[in-house]
Amino acid sequence: QLARLEANEKKSRDQLLAEQQAAVRALLEYARKHVPYYRRLDAPPDDLSAWPVLEKKTVAANPRDFLSDEFAPDELLELHTSGTTGTPLTVRFTKEYHQTEMAFRWRHKAWGGVPFLSSSAYVSGHPVVPPNQTKPPFWRWDAVERRLLMSSYHLAPQNLPAYAEALEKYRPDFVHGYPSSLYVLAQAGVRYRPKAVFTASETLLDFQRAAIERAFGTKVFNWYGNTEMTCNIVEDAAGNLRQRTDYGVLELEPDGTMICTGLNNRAMPLIRYRVGDRAVARPGGDGFPIIERIEGRVEDYVRTPDGRQVGRLDHLFKDVRHVREAQIVQRRLDEIICRIVRADGFSEEDERIVRREARQRLGDGVTVRFEFVEQIERTKNGKFRFIVSEL
C-alpha cells in the first residue's frame, strides 16, 4: 500500500482524477450490489452527483444497513466517533483496510521527512493513566509501535516540566497530537528537537501553529481526516493542504460544507456523506488538489446581530503573550465570552488587544466579556473546542 500511494504522488492531476473516477464507478456498482441501504436506493451507477447527500443521523440510526453483505460483522474492526455533534457513530472496517489507512498515515509522515516505523510521541486522547493520578509518569512506552503515549488529560502547569523531561529522555523521531495539547506542551520549555510535528483531530489555529513550531524548532504538518474515513487532507512541505484523491472524493457546497465519499472501505462505504466540516478550495496547481483552509466544524462559528457567521477567530489571541489557553463561548447574539487560562503577566493590556481584534472582526454590535478559569474542559475524548456556540 505504501508503494502504491507513493507512486500516486508522482502522477499528474488529470491522471489522478481519471483514476478517481474509475474508482468511484467501481464503488457505486459495489454499493448497489452489496450494501442494503444503497441496494434499496437504486441510484444510478455512473453519476455520483445524482446520489443523495447522506446525513450522519441516517447512518447512526441503522449502521448495519450500511455494512456490505460480503463481510461478517463480528469479523470487522470498529472505531467510534466522539459524539461531539450529539450523534455518536460506530464505523466498521476490515483488517485489510486498516493496513491501507496506516499506509496513508505513514505516507504523510514521509512528507515531513520521517521514515516508516520511526519512533514517536503521541499526545492525544489515549487514556494512558488514571485521571486522578497526580504524579508522573503521565505516559507509557508502547514497545510494539515505538510510541511514547502521553496523557493529554494531565497537562497542568505543575506537570509540564515532567513532560519536557520525558521527551528529552525518549527523544522520539516525531511528535503527533491534538493542536490544543501540543500548544500547552509548547509552554513546557522543551529542549529536544524532533524531525517534525504532526497535528490532527482538531482545527489547527494559527497562534497554536506558531507556538508549537517555535517551541519544537521544526515545522508542523497538519492532517485532516475523520473516523468515518471518507476524506484525507494533508499538509505538504511547502505548507499546502493537499486533498488525496486516492482516499476519497470531496465536494464543497456553496457555504464550504464538505460532502465526502470514501473510496477504500468496502465493509462500510459512505457515499456523499456530510461530515459537518467546512473548507475552502484553491483553484489551479497540479497533483493532488490544494485546499486553501479547513475552517472547522459547521457549528464552530460566532453569529452576529447582523446575520453573519464568523469563524477563524483565533486571530483574537495572536498578539497576546500571556494566555495559556483560550476559548470563546457564545450564549447571546450581542456578546461573546472569552474563557482564559492566564499566564504570568496577564494584564489589562492583553484584554485591550483581544477587544480590539474582536471589534475588527465582529463589529461594534458584539461585546466581549472575560471569564478567567483554571482550566478549559475537554470533550470525553480529550478534544478541545475553541468556539462553543450555545445559540
Side-chain angles (χ1 to χ4, degrees):
Q1 291 296 333
L2 281 168
R4 178 177 71 87
L5 300 185
E6 184 175 6
N8 287 347
E9 294 162 12
K10 301 178 175 65
K11 296 175 181 177
S12 69
R13 173 74 61 85
D14 290 344
Q15 188 175 0
L16 288 169
L17 291 180
E19 292 180 0
Q20 183 190 65
Q21 290 169 2
V24 168
R25 287 193 296 270
L27 175 68
L28 299 186
E29 287 280 13
Y30 181 88
R32 283 163 47 93
K33 182 178 181 181
H34 293 287
V35 180
Y37 177 84
Y38 296 118
R39 203 158 43 218
R40 293 194 303 270
L41 197 62
D42 195 30
D46 55 355
D47 185 4
L48 178 65
S49 65
W51 290 50
V53 172
L54 178 62
E55 304 293 344
K56 184 175 183 178
K57 62 183 180 182
T58 303
V59 183
N62 192 3
R64 283 182 174 262
D65 222 16
F66 292 86
L67 296 182
S68 166
D69 59 16
E70 283 200 319
F71 305 98
D74 57 357
E75 295 178 355
L76 297 173
L77 304 176
E78 62 181 40
L79 283 174
H80 305 273
T81 63
S82 61
T84 53
T85 62
T87 311
L89 181 68
T90 299
V91 179
R92 302 291 185 91
F93 54 99
T94 65
K95 294 177 182 178
E96 290 74 20
Y97 175 74
H98 184 60
Q99 298 296 318
T100 301
E101 180 72 17
M102 292 303 103
F104 276 103
R105 299 189 185 199
W106 276 107
R107 277 311 302 162
H108 188 223
K109 300 299 189 298
W111 290 15
V114 177
F116 182 49
L117 298 181
S118 295
S119 62
S120 60
Y122 273 67
V123 193
S124 47
H126 301 96
V128 182
V129 298
N132 58 353
Q133 182 172 320
T134 58
K135 294 182 180 180
F138 303 108
W139 46 83
R140 294 291 187 269
W141 177 249
D142 168 14
V144 175
E145 296 196 60
R146 300 175 65 223
R147 298 184 301 174
L148 184 65
L149 298 177
M150 310 187 84
S151 171
S152 62
Y153 303 97
H154 294 77
L155 290 168
Q158 67 271 18
N159 297 333
L160 294 183
Y163 277 83
E165 291 174 9
L167 289 171
E168 180 68 26
K169 174 184 175 182
Y170 287 92
R171 302 190 67 80
D173 295 321
F174 69 90
V175 176
H176 176 104
Y178 293 160
S180 61
S181 298
L182 296 180
Y183 175 72
V184 175
L185 189 58
Q187 302 167 40
V190 292
R191 296 182 298 276
Y192 104 107
R193 294 292 179 260
K195 295 178 181 177
V197 175
F198 299 88
T199 59
S201 301
E202 299 172 349
T203 301
L204 175 62
L205 307 174
D206 289 342
F207 75 86
Q208 293 172 332
R209 179 193 289 274
I212 295 166
E213 291 185 340
R214 185 166 57 245
F216 288 98
T218 190
K219 176 175 168 47
V220 168
F221 291 81
N222 195 19
W223 160 287
Y224 172 86
N226 48 55
T227 304
E228 296 90 334
M229 295 174 284
T230 58
C231 184
N232 187 214
I233 301 172
V234 286
E235 184 172 344
D236 64 19
N240 297 312
L241 291 171
R242 298 279 185 170
Q243 187 251 324
R244 292 209 63 135
T245 55
D246 49 359
Y247 191 100
V249 178
L250 172 62
E251 303 171 67
L252 296 179
E253 294 188 331
D255 67 351
T257 297
M258 300 168 63
I259 307 298
C260 302
T261 300
L263 295 175
N264 300 297
N265 182 18
R266 291 299 175 91
M268 189 176 179
L270 298 177
I271 298 170
R272 303 202 74 209
Y273 179 73
R274 192 191 307 274
V275 299
D277 294 329
R278 284 180 176 172
V280 177
R282 184 197 301 175
D286 200 15
F288 296 119
I290 296 178
I291 300 300
E292 183 67 35
R293 63 185 181 274
I294 301 166
E295 296 192 333
R297 298 211 61 83
V298 170
E299 69 268 23
D300 291 341
Y301 287 78
V302 165
R303 291 168 56 192
T304 64
D306 57 5
R308 290 177 293 135
Q309 292 188 77
V310 184
R312 300 299 297 179
L313 285 172
D314 53 308
H315 294 286
L316 269 62
F317 304 96
K318 67 182 179 66
D319 294 326
V320 179
R321 298 296 182 187
H322 306 103
V323 172
R324 288 194 184 277
E325 285 193 291
Q327 182 182 65
I328 296 172
V329 178
Q330 186 176 31
R331 300 189 179 110
R332 294 167 25 187
L333 271 178
D334 61 350
E335 179 186 79
I336 61 170
I337 301 168
C338 292
R339 306 182 75 234
I340 290 177
V341 180
R342 291 173 289 188
D344 294 339
F346 186 90
S347 67
E348 291 183 359
E349 174 62 14
D350 295 298
E351 292 187 27
R352 187 190 67 79
I353 293 172
V354 173
R355 292 183 196 277
R356 180 195 69 200
E357 297 294 325
R359 188 178 304 111
Q360 289 178 355
R361 289 162 176 79
L362 301 175
D364 296 328
V366 179
T367 61
V368 178
R369 181 159 63 87
F370 291 91
E371 183 178 299
F372 302 111
V373 296
E374 293 297 320
Q375 63 181 13
I376 293 175
E377 298 81 7
R378 265 53 174 176
T379 68
K380 64 180 181 180
N381 276 13
K383 292 184 180 180
F384 167 85
R385 292 183 63 193
F386 179 60
I387 295 178
V388 178
S389 176
E390 299 181 6
L391 297 179

